[in-house]
Amino acid sequence: MTAEPLVSVEQIAEHLGVTRDSIYRWIDRKNLPAHRVGRLWKFKISEVDDWVREGGADEHRGRD
């Protein structure tokens, strides 16, 4: 079984149809699942999709 590749902030923003700024804000305020690799944030698409399905991107959730 092959490990799921990690994608960049730009790639996950495009996948979700939002800006890079939204991704950074969601990491900070809404616990978007992200992995720190050195100075960069990386993401597993399956984890982010699960987070969205569970309501993680809901505007009324978190400290927004």
Side-chain angles (χ1 to χ4, degrees), residues 3-40:
E4 181 178 354
L6 295 172
V7 299
S8 69
V9 170
E10 291 80 8
Q11 290 170 306
I12 207 67
E14 183 176 330
H15 176 72
L16 295 175
V18 299
T19 65
R20 290 177 42 202
D21 288 341
S22 292
I23 298 300
Y24 290 120
R25 191 169 44 253
W26 290 351
I27 292 168
D28 183 48
R29 299 181 183 169
K30 295 180 178 261
N31 297 317
L32 175 66
H35 305 274
R36 194 76 187 224
V37 179
R39 294 176 49 211
L40 303 175

